[in-house]
Amino acid sequence: MRIEERFVNATVLVGLLGVPLWALMIEEPFTITLATRAVILALAAVGLNVILGVGGLVSFGHAIFFGIGGYAMGILAFHAQTYSELDLGLFSTSGTNSMPVIWLVAMGFSAFSAFLIGLLTLRTSGVYFIMITLAFGQMFYYFAISWPSYGGEDGLSIYVRNDFPGLNTLVPFQFFALCFVILCVVLFIYARLQASPFGLALNSARQSRARAETVGLDPMRIRLLAFVISGAITGLAGALFADLNRFVSPTMFSWQLSGELIVLIIIGGVGRLMGPVIGACLFVALEHFLGGFTEFWHVFLGLILLAIVLFARGGVIGLLTGKEGAHV
Amino acid sequence: MSFLKVENLTAFYGSSQALFGVDLSVDEGEVVALMGRNGMGKSTTVKAICRLIRSKGVLTLGGDNLHGLPSFKVARIGVGLVPEGRRCFADLTVRENLLAAAKSGPWTLSRVGELFPRLGERSEQRARSLSGGEQQMLAIGRALMTNPRLLILDEATEGLAPLMRQEIWDAIRHLKQETGVAILLIDKSVRELSAISDRAVILERGKTVWTGAIEDLTADVTAKYVGV
């Protein structure tokens, strides 16, 4: 039996909100933290879904933007908590604990990096695009490792969670609610973008670059803009992730993280609105429950991925609602 | 002065030369048939005009030199291409296919729907689920949504059922009579081309070998160069 995609989407969102609400009632803050982790990973994957799901470009270096977001938070918060100046060459400034400011900086730097990286990488496609984005990811990873000012390989701890006006972000449910609202806003933007002329043009360029050009679309420009939007969203997720853990380290730039984001999307459904959300929820649930039994829980994740690639190419959403909407 | 002017056009696939001197012109509001046997360079000429392959020679549209322009800019300055084999965006719906190409101008979703009522009825259907004829209508509609000044139709009726072919020819006739858009037509049906075109250009081995008014296209000429 096929289920309406809208119904599945609504159920996922209600479920994602319901679990931490239930945890709040039974006073189980760790479950709320797990749900927050799922929401933030979903947000990062929604960012990747713009370029992967709609644009058809498999970016194996999206952890770059996740890491940039994380380090933007880490560096600003570090200077705020140590009352030290952040020297930017031409001028110096103090750090900040304000989340909105940190988010803006994280998104701005991620978007700018995506613009520069996109200018170089989007001239390629297929396996070359995968490899060149992976190479950029590794460059950032090794740069972070060899950056002693901000912890180098050991990373950087932040002692207090950053502030958001009107909220006590140290209360797990309040921080979850903040992340959940951001996820909903980004999902709304994603849905609008996918159906907009820009989204259709990006989708057309995915299906055939030459055909898109013959109707007057400039695939390079369209993909570059999508890459910038994608990078900014993933950067925002990185800033929230660092705030959740109150810790940033070079692993936020790792290729394993880039791979995990791709896996989340494939499990949930490539190019589907809630694909990344379902993938992230399953990933965090497996990590928590199976990770308690064995440290080799990734084997089970691999088996699920294998089953989905072989038998359900539209991911979990495709399985429930039919393959029609899958962009694979 | 001709609207589309092609003189001594040579084109290449990598290092292999495919065109050896094509001359053709299309005036505003004129329908020109590009004819020739298979493999004589008709589709290659179209690709060269749309800047999809490397070419040399005179290539202008409304006085603008097309050389040096990327293909999307050629489309933006007014060349609408209906490619051989339809080639719609299969994953998009009919409506989305049309909107993806939309540029401001007289051609809108509703006007394309009036020209091809079948498309209006199937607006939320994915392009890959349409019949061959419907996909061809969609390819024409998509090209019209770019609001072209020159419409190029490459084998627009190839492989279609007679009823569908008739609908496509009727639409092209309507475009000629009602819109005044310049049209460059490639098709295997000499009878239909003769009925609709003002002039014909015939290619042989990548070179123009005959140009003239459609009334001057004799059975001898078509037998010699088109094989009919």
Side-chain angles (χ1 to χ4, degrees):
Chain A
M1 193 186 82
R2 300 297 188 201
I3 308 168
E4 275 279 320
E5 188 162 342
R6 258 185 262 183
F7 177 73
V8 174
N9 292 348
T11 307
V12 170
L13 277 185
V14 169
L16 191 53
L17 184 61
V19 168
L21 272 174
W22 166 77
L24 182 68
M25 282 191 285
I26 62 164
E27 294 181 7
E28 188 66 62
F30 182 63
T31 305
I32 301 174
T33 302
L34 280 181
T36 312
R37 181 174 157 79
V39 165
I40 295 171
L41 286 177
L43 183 64
V46 170
L48 177 59
N49 209 20
V50 173
I51 194 77
L52 173 71
V54 188
L57 291 160
V58 182
S59 167
F60 211 171
H62 243 55
I64 294 169
F65 313 118
F66 198 69
I68 288 174
Y71 270 85
M73 172 274 172
I75 291 168
L76 289 171
F78 170 77
H79 285 283
Q81 76 182 13
T82 56
Y83 302 103
S84 55
E85 288 288 299
L86 172 56
D87 186 5
L88 294 168
L90 293 174
F91 64 97
S92 61
T93 179
S94 56
T96 178
N97 282 124
S98 165
M99 278 192 188
V101 175
I102 288 170
W103 295 344
L104 280 176
V105 172
M107 290 173 76
F109 272 91
S110 301
F112 183 64
S113 308
F115 176 74
L116 294 180
I117 293 169
L119 273 180
L120 293 168
T121 59
L122 291 167
R123 298 182 189 284
T124 62
S125 60
V127 73
Y128 300 102
F129 181 75
I130 296 172
M131 287 298 117
I132 198 167
T133 48
L134 173 64
F136 269 107
Q138 292 302 93
M139 280 166 58
F140 275 81
Y141 175 73
Y142 285 108
F143 174 76
I145 278 183
S146 54
W147 201 11
S149 318
Y150 297 108
E153 199 168 0
D154 297 331
L156 190 63
S157 291
I158 307 300
Y159 305 120
V160 182
R161 191 167 283 159
N162 294 305
D163 304 324
F164 188 86
L167 290 181
N168 180 358
T169 53
L170 278 170
V171 176
F173 189 79
Q174 294 198 24
F175 186 59
F176 166 82
L178 184 62
C179 296
F180 184 78
V181 168
I182 291 172
L183 176 66
C184 289
V185 170
V186 170
L187 284 170
F188 176 75
I189 292 170
Y190 176 91
R192 295 299 297 261
L193 185 138
Q194 198 177 22
S196 71
F198 169 74
L200 296 176
L202 181 62
N203 201 325
S204 306
R206 173 181 66 80
Q207 294 183 54
S208 169
R209 188 186 179 115
R211 226 174 297 164
E213 288 195 44
T214 60
V215 294
L217 304 173
D218 179 357
M220 176 66 193
R221 207 168 172 177
I222 292 163
R223 284 173 171 171
L224 185 59
L225 181 56
F227 200 64
V228 168
I229 295 169
S230 174
I233 296 171
T234 308
L236 174 61
L240 290 169
F241 194 76
D243 237 329
L244 173 71
N245 299 320
R246 279 173 272 165
F247 177 66
V248 285
S249 77
T251 53
M252 286 186 78
F253 286 111
S254 68
W255 67 267
Q256 288 94 334
L257 194 105
S258 296
E260 278 171 8
L261 293 180
I262 295 172
V263 168
L264 301 187
I265 295 177
I266 294 173
I267 289 177
V270 179
R272 311 294 278 259
L273 178 64
M274 284 292 166
V277 182
I278 292 179
C281 291
L282 275 174
F283 182 85
V284 170
L286 284 172
E287 184 183 46
H288 176 63
F289 293 113
L290 293 178
F293 291 113
T294 169
E295 60 181 301
F296 303 113
W297 69 273
H298 279 96
V299 172
F300 297 97
L301 181 71
L303 288 174
I304 291 173
L305 184 65
L306 198 65
I308 282 175
V309 170
L310 289 175
F311 306 112
R313 292 193 65 202
V316 174
I317 292 247
L319 205 62
L320 295 170
T321 65
K323 271 198 244 175
E324 188 64 11
H327 290 139
V328 284
Chain B
M1 192 177 132
S2 302
F3 181 52
L4 173 71
K5 190 165 144 191
V6 176
E7 277 176 16
N8 197 26
L9 188 73
T10 55
F12 305 83
Y13 288 109
S15 56
S16 311
Q17 189 166 357
L19 298 182
F20 296 86
V22 172
D23 299 302
L24 71 89
S25 62
V26 184
D27 290 334
E28 288 192 51
E30 190 182 33
V31 178
V32 173
L34 186 58
M35 301 163 85
R37 275 189 278 262
N38 284 343
M40 291 300 152
K42 304 184 296 293
S43 294
T44 303
T45 302
V46 167
K47 284 179 187 163
I49 293 169
C50 295
R51 302 283 303 133
L52 292 167
I53 57 168
R54 193 163 57 90
S55 62
K56 288 178 187 166
V58 175
L59 185 55
T60 62
L61 184 81
D64 295 330
N65 184 8
L66 298 184
H67 283 302
L69 292 183
S71 51
F72 69 87
K73 283 205 172 151
V74 173
R76 282 184 193 171
I77 65 169
V79 178
L81 173 66
V82 180
E84 192 177 8
R86 293 135 210 168
R87 304 202 177 135
C88 301
F89 298 118
D91 282 354
L92 299 184
T93 65
V94 168
R95 192 176 143 275
E96 288 171 341
N97 260 277
L98 297 173
L99 284 178
K103 209 175 99 182
S104 61
W107 283 99
T108 57
L109 273 180
S110 58
R111 197 164 168 208
V112 171
E114 281 166 24
L115 183 66
F116 297 118
R118 282 167 187 268
L119 294 185
E121 291 160 16
R122 287 160 178 72
S123 67
E124 295 308 319
Q125 210 170 312
R126 286 189 193 251
R128 65 165 171 257
S129 67
L130 299 176
S131 71
E134 288 161 353
Q135 285 190 22
Q136 190 61 66
M137 291 172 188
L138 180 55
I140 296 172
R142 189 182 61 186
L144 289 172
M145 288 293 283
T146 66
N147 282 287
R149 296 185 291 161
L150 169 71
L151 184 65
I152 303 176
L153 295 116
D154 191 359
E155 305 278 12
T157 65
E158 190 184 29
L160 299 182
L163 203 62
M164 281 291 182
R165 291 165 67 97
Q166 199 47 56
E167 278 191 51
I168 300 287
W169 285 119
D170 288 345
I172 297 170
R173 209 163 282 122
H174 173 85
L175 290 175
K176 181 187 179 184
Q177 287 159 1
E178 304 294 325
T179 68
V181 64
I183 299 175
L184 182 63
L185 265 179
I186 298 176
D187 205 90
K188 291 201 170 61
S189 171
V190 175
R191 190 170 59 86
E192 292 289 358
L193 286 176
S194 302
I196 204 168
S197 306
D198 301 307
R199 283 191 308 113
V201 174
I202 301 180
L203 302 186
E204 173 94 343
R205 296 176 192 272
K207 220 174 162 180
T208 301
V209 289
W210 192 91
T211 306
I214 205 76
E215 305 81 52
D216 300 333
L217 187 67
T218 61
D220 287 347
V221 173
T222 51
K224 186 176 177 187
Y225 295 117
V226 190
V228 181

